[in-house]
Structure formats: C-alpha cells, structure tokens
Amino acid sequence: MWFSIEAMANVFQHFWTLSLLLSLYLIHSISTSHVYIVYLGHNQNRDHLLTSQYHVELLSNVFESKADAKQAMLYSYKHSFSGFAATLNSSQATILANTKGVISVFRSKTVELHTTRSWDFMGLSMDYSQGTPLQLAYGDNIIVGVFDTGIWPDSASFKEEPGIGPVPNNWKGICMPGDKFNPAKHCNRKLIGARYYLTGFERRYGPLNKTGYPEYRSARDSLGHGTHTASTAVGSRAKYASLFGFAQGIARGGSPRARLAVYKICWNINFDGKCTEEDILAAFDEALHDGVHIISASFGLRPPLLPFFNSSSSIGSFHAMQLGVPVVFSAGNNGPDPSLVGNVNPWSICVAASTIDRRFPTKILLDDSISFMGEGLITKKVTGNLDRARSYFYRGVCHPGNLRNRSAVGIVILCFSTVGPVMSEDAEVAASQANASGLIFVQPLTRPIAAASIIPVVRIDIIQGTRIDHYLALSKNRLPTVEILPSATTIRSPPAPVVSDFSSRGPSSISPDFLKPDISAPGINILAAWPPNIPPTVFSTDTRSVNWNLQSGTSMSCPHVSGIIALIKSAHPDWSPAAIRSALITTAYQRDITGDSIQVGGSTKASDPFDIGAGHVNPLKAIDPGLIYDMNTRDYIIFLCNSGYTEDQIKAMVICPFSTCASCCRKKYEPNTNINYPSISVSNLQCETTIKRSVRNVGHKKTAIYFVSTVNPDGVEVYVWPRILIFSPFKAENSYFVTLKPVKASRGRYDFGSITWSDGFHYVRSPLVVQVNTTTSAAQVEAS
Ligand SMILES: *[C@@H]1O[C@H](CO)[C@@H](O)[C@H](O)[C@H]1NC(C)=O
Ligand SMILES: *[C@@H]1O[C@H](CO)[C@@H](O)[C@H](O)[C@H]1NC(C)=O
Ligand SMILES: *[C@@H]1O[C@H](CO)[C@@H](O)[C@H](O)[C@H]1NC(C)=O
Ligand SMILES: *[C@@H]1O[C@H](CO)[C@@H](O)[C@H](O)[C@H]1NC(C)=O
Ligand SMILES: *[C@@H]1O[C@H](CO)[C@@H](O)[C@H](O)[C@H]1NC(C)=O
Ligand SMILES: *[C@@H]1O[C@H](CO)[C@@H](O)[C@H](O)[C@H]1NC(C)=O
C-alpha cells in the first residue's frame, strides 16, 4: 500500500478522494498493459509503407502473432520520424527497449492544457494611421499548425482576410470531415487544414459518447481553448469584438494573414482538455508532413520532467526543428515557485505569461459614502447589503463544502482568500450557492485580476479589504448598503507588463544549461474567439453565450509568440528555428511601459530571467535583430552526446551526413555551455571558465561594427573578448569568448547579468545566468 493507515484516519474529510485513489489503485494493479511509445529516430526508410511494415515486424517479436501485434498497435509514426504506439505489458516494453535500433520506450502519459488589446500594446497596431502595417504585409505564405482542442470554424476570426491569396501550393494537409464539421463549408483560405486524433484518448477514457462529456468526433472544439489560442496566433481581423462590452475593439491574431491548420489532440473530460502523448506524436508526424511552418502547442506534462526522448513533445519538436519548423510551447502554470517550468528542451521556444496594460477597474460604494476600487467585469450595477462570510459559511471559509443553511439573497458577501485559504473560483461557486447578489473577494496586494464569473465578483486587495472588514465591525447591528458599479476598461495602465504569478519559473529541473522560459508574452485576460455554445466561465450553470472571451494562462501567451514568428518567418523564410528564437530573445525588453523594471505579479519585486527569460517579446525589433545566434546540427549533437546517447543512437536521431555525425561525436567533451544558445546559463561554476558564442550579421548593412557591454552578475567577473566584432560582406559571422571568474564564496546561489552587442542601432542582448558554487565540500559540511 502506498498510503498509511494514519493518513486514512485523520483525513476523514478526504474520504472521497481516498476511495477514488484506492479504486484507481485497484484498476492499476489488475490491468498490467499500458500504452507505450517506441521511438526509433528519423525515418531511414523513406517509404512509409516499408517503415510501417518494419514497425509491425518489430512489435511481432514480443507477441505470439503478427495479428496480435497489429491489434496492439495504436499508431505507426512514419512520415516525419519513425516510431509507434502500442499496448504493451512491462516485460514486452523492456524487451523492445533492449532491441537494437530502439532509442527509447516510455509509457505514454496524459498531458494538460496549460485579442484585441495585446497587439497594440506590443507595438503591432492595426491602426493604419500609425503606419506599421507589418501584420498586413506578411504572413500569407506561412501556415501555423495549432495543436489543441480543435476549432469553432464559424467564428469571425477564421473568415478569409480580404485579398488573401490562394492556399500555398506546397500544402499537403487536408480538412477531415466529421461531426458538425463540413470541409466544404468550414475550410477556406484561412482555415486550410483540420485533423483530429483520438485513438489514444478513446483507448484511455473510452468511446467519446461514453465519457459523459459533450464532444464532437471531428476537429470542432467543445472546450473553447483551441479556438481561443488559434485566433490569438493567426485570427483574421474581426470588428466589434468584446466580452460583455469590455475590452472592445478589433480582434486579430498576431499574424492575421497567416494560414491556420488545426490538429485536435485534446478532448473533453470534465470540461478539462486531456491529451494523450500517442495522439500528440501522431499530430507531429502528420503536421510536419503536411507542411506546417510553425507549431503552436499550449500544453505540457506536469513536473517531474522526463528525459527529453521519453516525452512525445520533445521528440516531435526535435524532428520539427530538424525540418526547419519552430515549435512554440507554453511554460506551464505552476508558478511562482522556482524550477517547475516545463517544455524546456533546447530546440523549441518556451513562453512565460505576463499582463497587458488593460485593467477593468470597478468601484464599490459603502453606505453611499465610502468608496473602494477593485477589478471586475461587472455589467450592471449591483445593490444590496454587505455581510461577512461567516454568516453564510462555517468558520468564514467561502467554500461550497462550508455552506450554512442561510440564504444570502440581497447580500454581497465579503470573502478573504486567506481564510481557508480559498481560491476565487471556489468562493464564487459558494457565494452563488448561498444565492448572494455578489462577492467581494479579497486577495494579497497586486494579485487581484478581473475574470468572467457566474455571479458579480469584484476582487480587491487586502489593504482595502481590511478597511471594509473594519467598517463592517463598526456597524454592529446593521448591514451597510453596498453598490458595485459597472466596471470600466482602461488601457495604458501601469505597471505593465507584469509577470503572472502562475507562470512557471526556471531554472529548468533537467537541463539548467539552457535558460527557460525563453521569453514572456501576454497571457492575462486575453480577448479571443470563443464557441458561442460554451459558457464564458465554462461552468454548466452559466447560461450566457459569447463569441469572444477573456482567458488567462501560458496557453494564451504561447500563441502570441507563434503569431509573431509567422511574421518573422514570412519576412525571413530562410531563418532556422534557432535563428528565429535568437531574434526573439536578443530583442526582448526588460522595462515596463513606464520605464521601470518589469515586476512580478502577486509581489512587489522586480522580475529576473527565471520569471521572464530574456524579457518581454518585442515583435518590431525581432524582425530586425542585427545579429543572430544560430544553431546547427553540430550543436544538437553535442547536446545529445552530453545527454549520454551513443554514437549509433545519435546517427539514428540526427539527419546529417554520416561523417558529420561521427566526427562531432568524437568531440563529445565539449560542454553544453558552448552550444550556441542566445542566452547564457552556467550552472555549478566552480572556477574560471570560458565559453564560446558565434553571431551572424543579418542587418541591412553588410559592413557593421559591434561593441560589447556587460552587466556582471554579483560575485562574478565577466571578460568578453574580442570586445569589438567587425562584419563585412566577406565575413558575416564572428565568434567571441566569455570568461566567467567567480570572486565570491557561494554554495549554488543564482545571479543574473547580461552581455549586449551594439552597433549603435541594434542592441543584441543575451541574459547571463550564473550559479557560483565555490564553497569547498569541507566548508559545506561545517556549515551544515
Ligand atoms: C506480456 O505479454 C506477453 C505476450 O502476450 C506474455 O507472453 C507475457 O507473459 C506477458 N507478461 C506479463 C508480465 O504479463
Ligand atoms: C526513459 O526511457 C528509458 C527506455 O527507453 C527507460 O529505461 C528510462 O527508465 C526512462 N526514464 C524515465 C525517467 O522514465
Ligand atoms: C453518439 O451517440 C449518438 C446518439 O446516440 C449517435 O448518433 C452518434 O453517432 C454517436 N457518436 C459516436 C461517435 O459514436
Ligand atoms: C434549512 O432551513 C429551512 C428554514 O429555516 C428549513 O426548513 C430546512 O429544513 C433547513 N434545511 C436543512 C437541510 O437543514
Ligand atoms: C438558493 O436558492 C435555491 C433555489 O431557490 C434554493 O433551493 C436554495 O436552498 C437556496 N440556498 C440557500 C442557501 O438558501
Ligand atoms: C557544488 O559543488 C559541490 C562540490 O563539487 C558539489 O558536490 C555540489 O553538488 C555542487 N552544487 C551544485 C548546486 O551544483
């Protein structure tokens, strides 16, 4: 047993949870077969049929017959890389893992899903008078693959932009017909591809019809998430977008002219998207073959992270990178604790979430005389009497489980997040069950953010909340009257951007040599398209229908970057995924709209690279970064060698001429810090160390002179040499060295600096993260 009797005794209230766990445990011990993914590297046999036959043969080795093997196989991945998914028991998996040519065998897991205003805020305004028609000039030739919950194809975001050209002629994708999805009607020059994958999902959760949740057996979205992310990345311009009149404006994606190909891999379980790794890998296999140029993936595994080649997202994105397709992932919503960032592989882009400069200030008036300001999405004035939580909830904890039998009709309840503690959503449901007219939800300073809710909710900070609480205490025998006035929408409200408290933080728990997240983008209260039959709060009791909805998460920040990449790739079709990432990273900004350092939400502190990577994405600068740090096959081979893969395995994984692979592997002692990543992260710095970087001039002027400037991390001397880089038509590429010398005693503390190259016009900045570890082991023993 994996839980103790004591635990059972003292958590009576968790009885249901425990019995659920117990039944899961029983199911687990009875059925010993699971879906495994067997990864074999790149597709050596170019012929798909041969590759598939080979997969069946390989699988037959662990089954009695070929027929049994075929029945166990869920997918054969054969277009863009080689591998398969099959139901196996652990002994079969072990045998396969030890078979020559097999790189990894791992049990498939379930992965979780993690506007108008945001584009103006980032300088990509659609206002023609401002003369920055970047979004209209570029994008036509770019196809963005969105891996998500599907799409609501009828949304205005997926209509054709006026004058959009025909579908790019190298596109091989299709629109699959299905439940409420008619390709002739729903696909057009905007939505050019729609596929869905549910073999893995149904194997795990049962047939769609039997899961108890509504779903379409097609690419149509039954959750809203995929519609929202797709319209954020590439939505066409749509006028009069707003949620209940808030955040009104012209909605559009980052690249309104780019094409959309939808790959539905996440399905509805309890109104949450569940995505299996075998379905995800199938989408990678086909999307790369279809010809997508960018993949946007707003999902990830919860920590602990697995080795890279034991995860389908890493495998899929590794092959995407080799085919020149950048993959953008969300960092996850596991912040603010450090080191829980996900999707940290060094060949894709990992995006943190931050706020935009839009607020929804909401006024609260007590006894017609004292006013407070919170955040809400209040459409109609709410009036009533104010009362404390403890009149309606045991111990004053605003949670549905604590409901007293007392009606709160006509009452606005004051709830504190710190009492319980409770989350806003729980308090909201609890107040609605008590039949309250409204909820004032009190949270720590800098945390309150508006969100759609089932009853009127205003979130205010604890300083004001405490004043309201004290006021209530003074008016002993009488409940004060309260008015909540309709919320306003304000823009250019500092501080902005602010890193979201939920955004997952670095350092990477498996590869600290690469700074993750890479960059931050808007992910709070993003307005984008929404299926009208899904309530904006996704609560079943909510009967409202909307075409646009505000959503928050790194799921929302990821497609912002995907849309920006569509513009960059359209302007620079020959740039590699690493070059594009470099352009984003080295041009990111670290200052908010008032010129102060970017703050961390839910705190009063300035952010560091573990919060936002290189900084906040800056699309206009990323188009013209000056210099780029590119990466090539050699860089990835160094990484694989250092990760312990053998020469044979690397040859199977990396598409490169035989000689290149072999010669690179012999140099395997080159450290990861020399991989040409645009940010520099050195963990466990014990003594003076020199690392190398190379940059290529991509500026308009072929002749350019760049000077370096550095900001030293605390206790580290940084020497960059040479200090001047001269580029000419004959020499577009230059290398430089960075010597890091620890000058303090430290036992693994992280400090931050930067290295910036400038020609006076471009500022090519690399964040520098150093973890000095100079305390001797003897001293460590003494100290502890
Ligand atoms: C796994 O499956 C194979 C083939 O069906 C069978 O021979 C073997 O006994 C099974 N092993 C276990 C541990 O169940
Ligand atoms: C990763 O996969 C290999 C087999 O390919 C297995 O031996 C290893 O235990 C897996 N690691 C984890 C952490 O799951
Ligand atoms: C689900 O059930 C409905 C009605 O029973 C049926 O019409 C539909 O074909 C079923 N869908 C699937 C995917 O089995
Ligand atoms: C709730 O209160 C009402 C009126 O006071 C009473 O009639 C009813 O039985 C109570 N219900 C419960 C479940 O205690
Ligand atoms: C709220 O109203 C519903 C419907 O009128 C009623 O069934 C329920 O008992 C009320 N809840 C409370 C706590 O009074
Ligand atoms: C610091 O160095 C010591 C001694 O070499 C080593 O045991 C320890 O793991 C290092 N700490 C970190 C955080 O790398």
Side-chain angles (χ1 to χ4, degrees), residues 511-523:
S511 54
D513 296 330
F514 304 98
L515 175 62
K516 296 283 172 174
D518 287 299
I519 199 159
S520 169

mmCIF file of all heavy atoms in Angstrom, residues 511-523:
data_model
loop_
_atom_site.group_PDB
_atom_site.id
_atom_site.type_symbol
_atom_site.label_atom_id
_atom_site.label_comp_id
_atom_site.label_asym_id
_atom_site.label_seq_id
_atom_site.Cartn_x
_atom_site.Cartn_y
_atom_site.Cartn_z
ATOM 1 N N SER A 511 17.712 20.514 -17.371
ATOM 2 C CA SER A 511 18.814 20.980 -18.225
ATOM 3 C C SER A 511 19.126 22.438 -17.885
ATOM 4 O O SER A 511 18.812 23.342 -18.656
ATOM 5 C CB SER A 511 18.436 20.837 -19.698
ATOM 6 O OG SER A 511 17.208 21.492 -19.941
ATOM 7 N N PRO A 512 19.745 22.659 -16.700
ATOM 8 C CA PRO A 512 19.984 24.028 -16.240
ATOM 9 C C PRO A 512 20.947 24.815 -17.130
ATOM 10 O O PRO A 512 21.078 26.024 -16.945
ATOM 11 C CB PRO A 512 20.550 23.846 -14.835
ATOM 12 C CG PRO A 512 21.064 22.452 -14.811
ATOM 13 C CD PRO A 512 20.228 21.660 -15.752
ATOM 14 N N ASP A 513 21.563 24.166 -18.120
ATOM 15 C CA ASP A 513 22.465 24.895 -19.020
ATOM 16 C C ASP A 513 21.706 25.731 -20.044
ATOM 17 O O ASP A 513 22.316 26.461 -20.830
ATOM 18 C CB ASP A 513 23.385 23.925 -19.773
ATOM 19 C CG ASP A 513 24.308 23.182 -18.816
ATOM 20 O OD1 ASP A 513 24.643 23.764 -17.769
ATOM 21 O OD2 ASP A 513 24.662 22.037 -19.123
ATOM 22 N N PHE A 514 20.400 25.584 -20.093
ATOM 23 C CA PHE A 514 19.612 26.393 -21.017
ATOM 24 C C PHE A 514 18.594 27.173 -20.204
ATOM 25 O O PHE A 514 17.827 26.582 -19.445
ATOM 26 C CB PHE A 514 18.914 25.507 -22.057
ATOM 27 C CG PHE A 514 19.893 24.656 -22.794
ATOM 28 C CD1 PHE A 514 20.093 23.338 -22.425
ATOM 29 C CD2 PHE A 514 20.674 25.199 -23.806
ATOM 30 C CE1 PHE A 514 21.040 22.564 -23.068
ATOM 31 C CE2 PHE A 514 21.623 24.428 -24.447
ATOM 32 C CZ PHE A 514 21.811 23.110 -24.077
ATOM 33 N N LEU A 515 18.620 28.478 -20.369
ATOM 34 C CA LEU A 515 17.686 29.322 -19.623
ATOM 35 C C LEU A 515 16.270 29.094 -20.141
ATOM 36 O O LEU A 515 16.003 29.249 -21.331
ATOM 37 C CB LEU A 515 18.077 30.799 -19.778
ATOM 38 C CG LEU A 515 17.093 31.791 -19.147
ATOM 39 C CD1 LEU A 515 16.992 31.583 -17.646
ATOM 40 C CD2 LEU A 515 17.503 33.228 -19.457
ATOM 41 N N LYS A 516 15.374 28.724 -19.239
ATOM 42 C CA LYS A 516 13.960 28.583 -19.576
ATOM 43 C C LYS A 516 13.155 29.231 -18.466
ATOM 44 O O LYS A 516 13.556 29.114 -17.319
ATOM 45 C CB LYS A 516 13.566 27.100 -19.709
ATOM 46 C CG LYS A 516 14.258 26.378 -20.847
ATOM 47 C CD LYS A 516 13.655 26.714 -22.192
ATOM 48 C CE LYS A 516 14.496 26.137 -23.330
ATOM 49 N NZ LYS A 516 13.875 26.326 -24.652
ATOM 50 N N PRO A 517 12.014 29.855 -18.708
ATOM 51 C CA PRO A 517 11.448 30.112 -20.029
ATOM 52 C C PRO A 517 12.363 30.986 -20.885
ATOM 53 O O PRO A 517 13.247 31.654 -20.356
ATOM 54 C CB PRO A 517 10.138 30.826 -19.716
ATOM 55 C CG PRO A 517 10.355 31.457 -18.375
ATOM 56 C CD PRO A 517 11.253 30.516 -17.631
ATOM 57 N N ASP A 518 12.122 30.985 -22.201
ATOM 58 C CA ASP A 518 12.943 31.800 -23.100
ATOM 59 C C ASP A 518 12.507 33.254 -23.077
ATOM 60 O O ASP A 518 13.324 34.161 -23.169
ATOM 61 C CB ASP A 518 12.814 31.288 -24.546
ATOM 62 C CG ASP A 518 13.540 29.973 -24.750
ATOM 63 O OD1 ASP A 518 14.765 29.966 -24.562
ATOM 64 O OD2 ASP A 518 12.886 28.966 -25.079
ATOM 65 N N ILE A 519 11.197 33.466 -23.012
ATOM 66 C CA ILE A 519 10.659 34.804 -23.245
ATOM 67 C C ILE A 519 9.260 34.865 -22.637
ATOM 68 O O ILE A 519 8.658 33.836 -22.348
ATOM 69 C CB ILE A 519 10.638 35.070 -24.774
ATOM 70 C CG1 ILE A 519 10.544 36.547 -25.074
ATOM 71 C CG2 ILE A 519 9.546 34.273 -25.477
ATOM 72 C CD1 ILE A 519 11.017 36.889 -26.464
ATOM 73 N N SER A 520 8.765 36.085 -22.473
ATOM 74 C CA SER A 520 7.429 36.256 -21.926
ATOM 75 C C SER A 520 6.538 36.969 -22.949
ATOM 76 O O SER A 520 7.024 37.753 -23.765
ATOM 77 C CB SER A 520 7.546 37.079 -20.644
ATOM 78 O OG SER A 520 6.297 37.486 -20.202
ATOM 79 N N ALA A 521 5.238 36.697 -22.897
ATOM 80 C CA ALA A 521 4.276 37.334 -23.802
ATOM 81 C C ALA A 521 2.948 37.462 -23.058
ATOM 82 O O ALA A 521 2.758 36.819 -22.023
ATOM 83 C CB ALA A 521 4.120 36.497 -25.078
ATOM 84 N N PRO A 522 2.021 38.265 -23.568
ATOM 85 C CA PRO A 522 0.764 38.476 -22.851
ATOM 86 C C PRO A 522 -0.018 37.186 -22.631
ATOM 87 O O PRO A 522 -0.207 36.400 -23.563
ATOM 88 C CB PRO A 522 -0.009 39.421 -23.770
ATOM 89 C CG PRO A 522 1.053 40.161 -24.506
ATOM 90 C CD PRO A 522 2.127 39.148 -24.749
ATOM 91 N N GLY A 523 -0.463 37.004 -21.392
ATOM 92 C CA GLY A 523 -1.213 35.789 -21.075
ATOM 93 C C GLY A 523 -2.284 36.005 -20.020
ATOM 94 O O GLY A 523 -2.798 35.055 -19.454
#
